[in-house]
Amino acid sequence: MEIRHFHYIRTIYETGSISRAAQQLYISQPSLSQLLKSVEKKVGAPLFDRSTQPLRPTTIGRKYLAAAKHIMEIDAEFRQYVEDELGCAQGNLIVGSSPFRSTYFLASFLPQFQAQYPGIRLQLAEHTSKRLEEAVLSGDVDLIIATQPVDTEAFSCAELYAEEMILVLPANHPLSKAYDLPQDCRGNLPVLPISLLKDTPFIQMHSEQKLHHQLLSICEEGGFTPKIYLQTRSMETALTLASAGLGATLMPMTLLRAFHPQTPPCFAALPMRPCRHALVAWRKKAYLSHAARAFIDSLVDYCRDKGDDL
């Protein structure tokens, strides 16, 4: 069977529908149905249960999909190996990142990387921390920009930079006035014990984002469970809502330096000075192409050179 047949069958599985898979693959539905029947004839058994919607793989279908995924990974690694042996700094590279890091971090790095390696074709895959880690482990993404902690048994990684986590409060919050909190995050910020916010509602990030769990951990250290007003997947939204007076939030300094909501909030440091470390990570023992190695080395050098300006 051809490699593309594996790709077609996997797309049927991922979409749960022959018609949706055909649209995604830009081929006709009858052609894809005929291809599936042809593959099933060679296998000698159905790969999908047609009585369910979405389509679900049969027992043999699940084995086929697992084998197809393995074969596709071997094929991709071999093609990357050939490109590397030919000495070409080229190839395709899929990099996973949160929308926040794509906007405020990668956007400043990628022009420099593209100028240095014009033969490397990049594709960005944007999602939450949890989904990105799943994507790199499944082989759908080559590298991800992640934050600690990561499973070191599953991932190899290189550290990029550390960013301090800062409390953001509305300007009209009683603590903003009592502590004379500044509306500029630069310089030495006043320290505000997190325990003073036990009665303040919080704008929290989604549970698939590590910042969600970091807020819970910090509040637990302060002896309380935060009152959550709402959750969002967007750091810019959380910062804007906190600025508008809907509650407090916890944000990385990287965002606070780059994004300024229309209504300026107030800022405070925490006594424990919590930080999180940004990493570039990849599946452990995976073959790293020349393009992937070039991206990792360039990104590490870029972060080292930028230092505190990130």
Side-chain angles (χ1 to χ4, degrees):
M1 296 180 191
E2 298 182 27
I3 293 292
R4 66 185 179 91
H5 291 173
F6 297 138
H7 176 57
Y8 289 171
I9 302 301
R10 185 179 177 188
T11 304
I12 294 173
Y13 165 66
E14 290 172 346
T15 60
S17 162
I18 294 175
S19 60
R20 285 196 295 271
Q23 290 176 351
Q24 188 170 313
L25 294 165
Y26 299 102
I27 61 176
S28 70
Q29 181 177 339
S31 296
L32 186 56
S33 295
Q34 187 59 43
L35 182 142
L36 175 58
K37 290 178 182 177
S38 174
V39 171
E40 289 177 326
K41 184 176 179 181
K42 290 179 181 177
V43 171
L47 299 181
F48 294 97
D49 181 355
R50 264 68 158 192
S51 68
T52 63
Q53 286 296 328
L55 295 178
R56 287 187 298 190
T58 61
T59 302
I60 290 177
R62 286 194 294 272
K63 287 289 187 180
Y64 178 94
L65 288 164
K69 179 177 179 292
H70 185 55
I71 293 170
M72 290 169 68
E73 288 175 352
I74 293 173
D75 178 68
E77 287 190 0
F78 176 71
R79 284 187 283 108
Q80 284 293 169
Y81 173 79
V82 171
E83 285 186 356
D84 289 351
E85 283 298 299
L86 294 175
C88 303
Q90 61 182 19
N92 298 311
L93 190 63
I94 304 176
V95 178
S97 170
S98 68
F100 153 63
R101 294 205 188 278
S102 294
T103 302
Y104 299 110
F105 174 52
L106 289 180
S108 61
F109 162 73
L110 290 178
Q112 170 184 313
F113 180 76
Q114 184 187 45
Q116 188 175 1
Y117 297 101
I120 298 177
R121 297 172 294 280
L122 285 176
Q123 179 182 335
L124 281 180
E126 296 180 320
H127 222 300
T128 59
S129 305
K130 182 174 183 292
R131 301 295 182 187
L132 290 173
E133 290 179 10
E134 290 172 351
V136 78
L137 290 177
S138 69
D140 292 329
V141 168
D142 299 306
L143 308 168
I144 57 171
I145 309 302
T147 54
Q148 287 181 332
V150 295
D151 182 358
T152 54
E153 300 214 349
F155 294 94
S156 295
C157 55
E159 186 167 333
L160 299 175
Y161 60 89
E163 53 188 6
E164 185 175 356
M165 308 308 295
I166 303 297
L167 274 175
V168 181
L169 279 75
N172 62 359
H173 193 284
L175 290 173
S176 297
K177 298 175 181 177
Y179 277 75
D180 194 24
L181 298 183
Q183 291 181 287
D184 188 339
C185 65
R186 292 168 295 184
N188 293 322
L189 295 175
V191 175
L192 187 68
I194 191 73
S195 57
L196 297 179
L197 295 173
K198 64 181 181 180
D199 295 322
T200 297
F202 275 85
I203 314 298
Q204 187 182 36
M205 303 311 298
H206 190 271
S207 60
E208 291 183 349
Q209 293 165 274
K210 291 178 181 175
L211 190 49
H212 170 103
H213 305 285
Q214 191 167 16
L215 174 64
L216 294 179
S217 177
I218 289 172
C219 290
E220 184 180 356
E221 287 184 35
F224 70 100
T225 300
K227 297 179 178 178
I228 305 302
Y229 176 67
L230 59 79
Q231 289 189 6
T232 176
R233 294 177 185 268
S234 167
M235 289 189 187
E236 293 94 334
T237 298
L239 178 55
T240 301
L241 293 177
S243 304
L246 295 180
T249 192
L250 185 70
M251 287 286 120
M253 183 63 84
T254 307
L255 175 70
L256 301 181
R257 287 178 179 146
F259 179 72
H260 307 286
Q262 188 171 2
T263 304
C266 289
F267 305 100
L270 287 165
M272 67 286 287
R273 297 285 182 174
C275 285
R276 65 178 188 176
H277 295 265
L279 317 162
V280 56
W282 58 96
R283 181 165 51 92
K284 190 161 258 185
K285 297 182 181 178
Y287 173 75
L288 278 182
S289 67
H290 183 79
R293 291 195 300 270
F295 185 91
I296 293 167
D297 291 344
S298 297
L299 192 57
V300 170
D301 289 345
Y302 173 80
C303 293
R304 184 190 61 241
D305 293 342
K306 293 287 285 186
D308 293 336
D309 293 333
L310 283 168

